[in-house]
Amino acid sequence: MNIFRKRPLSLILCIALGVFFLFTYQSNVLRILLIVASILPLILSLIPKIKLNNRILPRIITIVALCSITFSYVFFDLYFAAHERFDGSVKIIGTVTDVAPASSYSTKLTVRTNNIDNRPFSQYNITVYLSKAEAATMPEGTEIEFDATLHAFSKDSRGYNTSIGVSAYADDVENVKIIRRSEGGLSAKLAHYKEYLCRYITTLTDGESGALLSALLFGQRDYLSGQIRLDFQRIGISHILALSGMHLAILSIGIGRLLSLFGIKKKIRVAVTSVFILLYMALTGFSVSVMRAGFMVIIASLLFLFSHTRDSITSLTAAVSIICLLDPCAIFSTSLWLSALATLGIIVLGEYTSGRIKKPKNRLNAILRSLWLGIMASVFAISATLAISTFTFGGMSCLGMITTLVFSLIAEVIMYLGCITLIIGWLIPIGILVFPFTKLLTWLAELLSRGEFVYLSTNYLIISLLIIVYTVLFYLFFVISVKEKRKAVIFLTSFFIFLTVMPLAAGIINDFDDEIIYLSDSKCDEMLVRSENEVCLINSAQYSKNLAYTSLDLLEAANVTYLDKYYLTHYSWSIDDELDVLLSSVLVEKIYLPAPRNDDEETILNVIKKSVEDYRTKIILLESNMLAVVGEYKIQLLYSVPYGEGTSMNAFRIMNDDKIITYVSSGLLNGEAKVEMENYIAESNTVIFGEHGKKYKEKLYLYDYHKSIDNLIINSENLFLSQLSMQKYMDGGASVISNPQKEIYIED
């Protein structure tokens, strides 16, 4: 289609954004190639023998590309990395800009530094972890002083923190002092006003309707239950709950229609809508997706007012460029790219259909036309973001093409009713009209989300390769002139449907494979059991919010997006943090726990019940010797130290008619459980010695008197096997693995 034809500004801005994005990667080879590629257009334009229709545009492209490279280098290499400028302990003075829970006992503060060691150019956003009690005295706007050392984030969390402009985290925090308490500036007041509106609309409707309206109108998702958010994610419409251009467009169009009813002229309507957009962006905290949509509409409005033209592609590229100029870290924001590319897909569809579809002759044709355009808009929007979303989240919904259309229409009705409720709800109980639509939305989401094969993993090599090929072809359709455009669209749509079906087929095939996988990573010690269409994750190590993300990574590697059972071997105060992360990302039908054995475990159990009450997950308590059944396998907890009565070591086994797989914390080979554990080990075909029980430091030696072992996995720094003993195991046909670095397929 060549969307850049007669749009040189859009082409220049796209090149500037692309070069800026690629140069942020710390790869010398890539950077050298980019610099060479940036200079090449200038060189070509200076060679007289090369025929060019326009010699000015290549020179402009070179200048813009080199400016992007310089901007990226100055900001990210010379300035952004605070931990590289300040070595050792430093004195930091800054203002708290955000407060969020980090775990059951700590709070994460985002601090905007006013200065660090009184050095110039030392204003950064950094993360500071404090106890909950200490952080409770430091709301947003509080100016604090403390001593700390600055460190880089781990590789796993660096991208996210960079995208929100946080460059380092503070460690060894000491001497924390409050300099000045403040209610905050304009942003804090707007946040308080948004909170007031959310509470107000909740009082005018029922709780669930108010929570959904708060998310749709103001982007406030804290009131929504985790189950609703998970349902929306699984059916491919989580973007409806994330404030974006769609929401802003719905409200802007509504205001425009309302003003037109009163006979307001078009230019005045455009001006009023632009003012509303600025106020709405401020009220919603200037989220990057809303800023993209807001700047895009304002730029398009200015083009209309001064040149009587609307160029959506130029408006889009200009809006993204302005955002990245104001906030360079936005270049890493996944939400910005998802929002911008989805919008680009819809715009290109509009250009393709412009002048191609005749005006319908009757109402039925008009409805069918609108339905077809809606489905194609979903296809083009999802296609434009397919590579980013699947490689970022590791999965895709098989229903996204249809649910995006249907749920967007229902959400539009809810938003308009919500606005009317805000205006006159205090006078007329119109909020009751919202309830049927919100109930319909959440009921449909729950119904569709229940299917095991609704949200599926794309973590297969062939699927990943096909997604890359499809994305390349899809964007080539944008930038090259295609004679048979209709055939190209039919081909791309068919390819897209094929890509939607492939994860479904892979998920069904994978679901029928019986397997047991041992997963170990740092403090994680887990086993994934899959049998007869059931999947169970057994967690036998430590619990925490951070380790829950590791569990999700391990599930993603095993292509699991749905758990029938989640088996916990022992109690900990951090289980609720673990479940908070896991249940918000993976549908879990049942959670198995040992029956509580003392008051501490009773208290922890009550906390767990409260943390899962918003989910459809059932908690099942296992009394002594009770078995959990997963297909043809039976799981039995052999040993677990009650909470508060020593090191939290445990042992369990997985059995079927043929084999027994036993997991034992290494510390159990000493003390009162030694004989009992050795008897269990002697009965086993596969034995795994885990690292759990970190407080236990005594070195243990494993001997060769267990003759029935086929597989021996040693994942403990405190357990040793002599060379002679190892040789005896191996001579007996046993497979011996020490300190595995990745998942091990025990049964496949």
Side-chain angles (χ1 to χ4, degrees), residues 307-467:
S307 60
H308 300 284
T309 184
R310 294 182 187 271
D311 186 351
S312 297
I313 291 178
T314 301
S315 301
L316 175 62
T317 53
V320 176
S321 300
I322 291 172
I323 291 171
C324 292
L325 190 62
L326 296 175
D327 180 14
C329 294
I331 199 73
F332 291 99
S333 173
T334 303
S335 63
L336 173 63
W337 289 113
L338 290 175
S339 176
L341 293 176
T343 303
L344 178 62
I346 295 172
I347 290 172
V348 171
L349 175 66
E351 294 212 346
Y352 166 74
T353 57
S354 179
R356 289 176 172 270
I357 301 178
K358 297 180 181 179
K359 187 176 181 180
K361 296 180 180 180
N362 53 56
R363 186 174 294 276
L364 178 60
N365 287 341
I367 294 173
L368 293 175
R369 174 182 177 271
S370 298
L371 183 62
W372 181 81
L373 286 175
I375 293 174
M376 290 304 297
S378 296
V379 171
F380 269 63
I382 296 172
S383 296
T385 60
L386 186 63
I388 293 178
S389 59
T390 53
F391 289 121
T392 301
F393 306 114
M396 67 181 294
S397 173
C398 296
L399 303 176
M401 182 172 63
I402 303 299
T403 52
T404 296
L405 172 62
V406 175
F407 281 74
S408 295
L409 294 174
I410 301 174
E412 183 175 354
V413 174
I414 293 173
M415 289 179 68
Y416 286 143
L417 288 175
C419 290
I420 296 172
T421 301
L422 273 174
I423 297 171
I424 62 173
W426 61 275
L427 183 62
I428 303 172
I430 197 171
I432 196 172
L433 297 178
V434 181
F435 177 75
F437 293 97
T438 56
K439 195 65 179 176
L440 174 64
L441 197 70
T442 54
W443 176 78
L444 279 176
E446 177 183 341
L447 179 67
L448 297 174
S449 172
R450 281 184 177 273
E452 183 177 350
F453 300 111
V454 169
Y455 188 81
L456 291 160
S457 172
T458 54
N459 190 31
Y460 300 91
L461 179 60
I462 183 64
I463 294 177
S464 299
L465 291 175
L466 287 174
I467 287 173

Side-chain angles (χ1 to χ4, degrees), residues 546-619:
N546 291 333
L547 293 181
Y549 285 110
T550 304
S551 299
L552 292 178
D553 291 338
L554 298 174
L555 289 176
E556 182 181 336
N559 304 312
V560 173
T561 61
Y562 177 99
L563 284 175
D564 294 279
K565 292 162 181 147
Y566 183 45
Y567 192 105
L568 301 170
T569 59
H570 59 285
Y571 282 85
S572 165
W573 285 109
S574 300
I575 289 182
D576 59 323
D577 292 327
E578 174 107 8
L579 293 176
D580 181 55
V581 173
L582 188 69
L583 294 179
S584 63
S585 304
V586 179
L587 189 61
V588 180
E589 292 290 342
K590 298 176 182 177
I591 297 173
Y592 286 84
L593 273 164
R597 293 156 293 183
N598 56 35
D599 292 341
D600 283 338
E601 292 189 349
E602 285 280 3
T603 304
I604 295 172
L605 178 61
N606 290 329
V607 173
I608 294 171
K609 288 180 177 179
K610 187 174 181 180
S611 67
V612 304
E613 62 184 4
D614 289 334
Y615 295 90
R616 293 192 298 270
T617 301
K618 296 180 181 178
I619 294 178

Side-chain angles (χ1 to χ4, degrees), residues 35-247:
I35 294 172
V36 172
S38 299
I39 298 174
L40 189 59
L42 175 63
I43 296 173
L44 293 176
S45 69
L46 295 175
I47 300 175
K49 293 184 179 181
I50 297 178
K51 293 183 179 180
L52 294 173
N53 295 328
N54 188 334
R55 294 186 179 274
I56 297 177
L57 184 60
R59 298 172 187 179
I60 294 175
I61 289 174
T62 294
I63 294 171
V64 169
L66 292 177
C67 287
S68 291
I69 288 172
T70 304
F71 184 37
S72 173
Y73 180 75
V74 169
F75 186 81
F76 288 107
D77 288 71
L78 300 183
Y79 168 74
F80 185 72
H83 60 281
E84 293 181 359
R85 290 190 62 199
F86 303 96
D87 190 20
S89 180
V90 292
K91 183 173 290 295
I92 300 172
I93 299 175
T95 304
V96 178
T97 59
D98 186 56
V99 181
S103 67
S104 57
Y105 51 84
S106 66
T107 299
K108 180 178 73 174
L109 305 181
T110 302
V111 176
R112 176 65 174 174
T113 62
N114 300 329
N115 71 74
I116 301 176
D117 275 352
N118 293 316
R119 295 264 297 273
F121 305 108
S122 57
Q123 291 187 329
Y124 298 90
N125 289 319
I126 61 173
T127 293
V128 182
Y129 292 93
L130 298 176
S131 67
K132 279 195 170 184
E134 195 171 18
T137 63
M138 303 174 188
E140 293 180 27
T142 304
E143 189 174 355
I144 60 175
E145 176 185 325
F146 57 94
D147 298 326
T149 55
L150 297 176
H151 298 279
F153 289 100
S154 65
K155 184 179 179 181
D156 293 337
S157 62
R158 190 177 304 150
Y160 168 75
N161 285 287
T162 302
S163 71
I164 59 175
V166 179
S167 64
Y169 75 92
D171 195 14
D172 302 323
V173 179
E174 296 178 338
N175 304 322
V176 181
K177 299 177 183 177
I178 297 176
I179 299 176
R180 180 173 55 87
R181 300 184 185 274
S182 172
E183 296 182 358
L186 180 60
S187 60
K189 292 178 181 178
L190 287 171
H192 287 310
Y193 183 62
K194 182 178 76 171
E195 186 71 21
Y196 163 76
L197 289 175
C198 291
R199 290 198 304 268
Y200 176 62
I201 203 168
T202 303
T203 61
L204 297 176
T205 59
D206 73 299
E208 190 175 86
S209 298
L212 195 55
L213 277 171
S214 297
L216 293 175
L217 292 176
F218 307 111
Q220 179 60 273
R221 294 188 291 176
D222 293 345
Y223 300 127
L224 287 172
S225 70
Q227 186 64 61
I228 290 178
R229 283 180 277 180
L230 179 60
D231 288 341
F232 276 56
Q233 173 194 318
R234 287 179 57 79
I235 63 176
I237 56 167
S238 56
H239 58 278
I240 289 179
L241 297 179
L243 207 60
S244 66
M246 182 195 80
H247 303 78

Side-chain angles (χ1 to χ4, degrees), residues 687-723:
V687 179
I688 302 170
F689 293 102
E691 184 67 271
H692 195 213
K694 293 288 182 178
K695 295 179 182 178
Y696 187 84
K697 296 298 182 182
E698 183 179 343
K699 293 183 179 181
L700 297 169
Y701 293 89
L702 182 66
Y703 298 100
D704 56 302
Y705 47 80
H706 308 301
K707 303 298 183 183
S708 63
I709 294 177
D710 297 323
N711 299 290
L712 180 62
I713 302 171
I714 302 174
N715 191 35
S716 172
E717 295 178 358
N718 301 318
L719 188 62
F720 298 90
L721 186 66
S722 69
Q723 192 67 35

Side-chain angles (χ1 to χ4, degrees), residues 21-32:
F21 175 74
L22 292 174
F23 201 80
T24 55
Y25 287 91
Q26 304 295 317
S27 169
N28 292 330
V29 175
L30 178 61
R31 289 185 164 192
I32 292 171

Side-chain angles (χ1 to χ4, degrees), residues 594-667:
R597 293 156 293 183
N598 56 35
D599 292 341
D600 283 338
E601 292 189 349
E602 285 280 3
T603 304
I604 295 172
L605 178 61
N606 290 329
V607 173
I608 294 171
K609 288 180 177 179
K610 187 174 181 180
S611 67
V612 304
E613 62 184 4
D614 289 334
Y615 295 90
R616 293 192 298 270
T617 301
K618 296 180 181 178
I619 294 178
I620 297 177
L621 301 178
L622 296 172
E623 299 291 344
S624 178
N625 294 323
M626 284 182 64
L627 304 177
V629 180
V630 182
E632 66 174 16
Y633 294 104
K634 299 177 180 63
I635 304 170
Q636 181 184 15
L637 184 64
L638 302 175
Y639 192 92
S640 179
V641 178
Y643 182 83
E645 297 181 16
T647 305
S648 53
M649 297 180 291
N650 57 78
F652 65 89
R653 63 181 175 182
I654 304 169
M655 305 169 287
N656 64 8
D657 295 335
D658 301 322
K659 295 182 179 180
I660 298 176
I661 301 166
T662 301
Y663 172 93
V664 180
S665 296
S666 59

